[in-house]
Amino acid sequence: MKKIVYLTILICGLISISGYIPNRAEASGSYTAKVYTDSLNVRSEPSSDSLIVGGLKNGEIVTVSAEEYGWLRIKSDRVSGWAAGHYMKKIDGNVVTASVTVQDDSVQKSSAAARATVLADGLRVRAGAGLDHEILGYLKKGETVTIMDNQEGWVRVQTPDKLLGWVSDRYIAKGETRTAAVSTGKSKNLKGRVIVIDPGHGGDDPGMIGTTYETIEKKLNLSTSFYLEDELRSRGARVLMTRTKNEEKPKLSDRVQISESAGADAFVSIHYNSSEKNTSGILTFYYSDTKDRPLARAIENRLADGIGLKSNGISYGNLHVLRENDTVSALIELGFLSNAKDESIVRGSDYQRKAAKAIANGLEDYFSR
Ligand SMILES: [Zn+2]
């Protein structure tokens, strides 16, 4: 057991060191800003690798004295340090609204236009359809927008403040049907819940390679994640995937970012394990005792319920996607590719389907607490 834990941390630890520094440098100047996310880490330096010195809550007002690479130097009555700028909105300036409230003809014709509900707190509204465009403002989870146009994953919207701009379409739910589920928010099951599935590895990082059948972990992670996606969607959840292709390799910080930007209710990372010993079975990792452990426990309970491989329980894991994540998160190793029996079982779609069901049941149990 000790050995399994050590090896897994060693393996995943190799990929958990990349830091994230947004490359947006901006002019400095002192102003007041408001926090638009449930909890925001305050750090010693403008970097996600630096020490956490405190936290800010939704709605909290801070003074901003400097900006660097998208980070803001803030001071509240309780804490001072650096925090990620995109979760805060300037409130004593007119930067956000002044230049962009001009209505155009398309707005006038929009009485029958499609509506959509915002799924993420602090969703950025940009001047154009792409991440390189200027941020004009922010939307809150549950707000309703009018869809004006769309283009390659981006949607042009009009916000409740009559702001016109572009948002990423993965963070809005089109139509009125989902509005109820989203606005009532915290249901006791998966309906309306936003779940991020993170298929581990990808691109030039294949993960583990099976010793008997040469199964490639990144592919297995993805196929299992697709079963989980289907399972969660069928239960009414809104699912976001950190990657959907074997060639894709999102940075670890970007995987976390997807979950935080979406204001997700849970984040689940899917992996398969390896060990020099002939170890077999499933292992579920958590980072925070208070935030993550209950989710890991709930999922493990279901995985232990006879899906084909035994469970080795839950374990603390100092892994980037858990450690840096404000979202409740778990990382699941669904069997050992270094064990011939495990490998032959986990390759089967039958096992992956059962695992997906068990994880979905675990999430449901977690939200029903
Ligand atoms: Zn892995």
Side-chain angles (χ1 to χ4, degrees):
M1 177 67 192
K2 274 252 155 55
K3 186 73 176 174
I4 304 165
V5 173
Y6 171 73
L7 283 166
T8 310
I9 290 170
L10 181 69
I11 290 151
C12 293
L14 291 175
I15 56 166
S16 66
I17 50 173
S18 77
Y20 173 62
I21 302 174
N23 55 358
R24 185 163 58 93
E26 282 174 11
S28 56
S30 187
Y31 61 86
T32 308
K34 191 172 169 182
V35 176
Y36 280 90
T37 184
D38 284 346
S39 73
L40 181 58
N41 287 331
V42 178
R43 295 178 182 274
S44 60
E45 305 287 333
S47 155
S48 57
D49 287 340
S50 69
L51 202 68
I52 296 173
V53 295
L56 294 167
K57 292 199 168 55
N58 205 350
E60 216 167 317
I61 307 295
V62 298
T63 304
V64 178
S65 58
E67 303 191 9
E68 202 169 300
Y69 305 114
W71 291 80
L72 303 182
R73 176 186 278 158
I74 63 94
K75 193 174 177 354
S76 75
D77 26 359
R78 298 182 300 110
V79 64
S80 64
W82 292 85
H86 49 257
Y87 295 113
M88 282 176 281
K89 186 170 163 183
K90 188 171 181 172
I91 55 172
D92 65 352
N94 53 7
V95 176
V96 171
T97 50
S99 62
V100 290
T101 48
V102 185
Q103 296 205 349
D104 64 19
D105 290 348
S106 57
V107 179
Q108 311 306 331
K109 289 183 280 180
S110 71
S111 55
R115 313 279 283 168
T117 304
V118 177
L119 294 170
D121 240 342
L123 178 62
R124 282 159 272 191
V125 181
R126 294 181 182 271
L131 289 171
D132 48 338
H133 290 276
E134 188 196 346
I135 297 171
L136 305 175
Y138 299 84
L139 286 162
K140 276 189 273 185
K141 188 171 177 174
E143 281 188 316
T144 305
V145 295
T146 306
I147 296 178
M148 313 302 297
D149 195 3
N150 56 76
Q151 177 184 315
E152 289 169 62
W154 291 79
V155 182
R156 186 160 181 260
V157 299
Q158 184 183 33
T159 73
D161 304 337
K162 304 283 184 235
L163 173 68
L164 283 168
W166 294 83
V167 297
S168 168
D169 73 355
R170 61 199 303 182
Y171 301 125
I172 58 169
K174 288 166 199 167
E176 302 291 348
T177 43
R178 280 203 177 108
T179 310
V182 170
S183 57
T184 48
K186 310 299 175 194
S187 62
K188 288 212 159 212
N189 50 35
L190 290 171
K191 215 170 170 126
R193 294 279 178 186
V194 179
I195 312 289
V196 176
I197 304 175
D198 174 40
H201 312 280
D204 61 9
D205 169 19
M208 296 302 136
I209 309 287
T211 45
T212 310
Y213 303 95
E214 296 184 345
T215 311
I216 300 169
E217 188 200 339
K218 70 171 183 182
K219 292 188 176 174
L220 201 55
N221 292 341
L222 188 59
S223 68
T224 307
S225 294
F226 283 140
Y227 287 121
L228 180 57
E229 182 188 21
D230 287 348
E231 188 63 41
L232 293 174
R233 287 232 162 99
S234 75
R235 300 183 192 200
R238 158 98 172 162
V239 180
L240 299 173
M241 302 278 284
T242 60
R243 69 176 176 96
T244 54
K245 296 190 184 76
N246 282 316
E247 309 80 65
E248 267 181 292
K249 184 194 175 185
K251 283 191 286 186
L252 296 175
S253 52
D254 289 348
R255 299 178 196 234
V256 171
Q257 190 61 46
I258 286 172
S259 138
E260 293 187 352
S261 302
D265 295 297
F267 176 100
V268 180
S269 192
I270 301 295
H271 286 256
Y272 287 84
N273 218 336
S274 180
S275 163
E276 285 156 24
K277 292 252 175 100
N278 202 26
T279 316
S280 163
I282 304 163
L283 188 56
T284 304
F285 286 95
Y286 62 91
Y287 178 75
S288 159
D289 246 338
T290 47
K291 178 172 73 73
D292 305 329
R293 201 173 199 274
L295 176 65
R297 177 51 74 196
I299 291 174
E300 193 272 335
N301 273 341
R302 292 294 192 151
L303 288 170
D305 204 18
I307 67 161
L309 286 180
K310 67 167 172 146
S311 169
N312 295 304
I314 64 173
S315 171
Y316 166 82
N318 186 7
L319 306 166
H320 184 111
V321 294
L322 305 181
R323 185 184 64 235
E324 301 298 326
N325 213 329
D326 288 339
T327 308
V328 174
S329 50
L331 186 147
I332 308 162
E333 302 270 8
L334 283 164
F336 280 82
L337 297 181
S338 49
N339 176 296
K341 183 177 147 266
D342 276 26
E343 192 185 0
S344 74
I345 289 172
V346 303
R347 285 162 61 84
S349 60
D350 185 49
Y351 174 80
Q352 294 173 50
R353 275 204 195 89
K354 281 187 198 158
K357 265 205 167 64
I359 295 166
N361 286 337
L363 281 161
E364 216 154 63
D365 294 346
Y366 171 78
F367 291 122
S368 317
R369 291 171 312 155

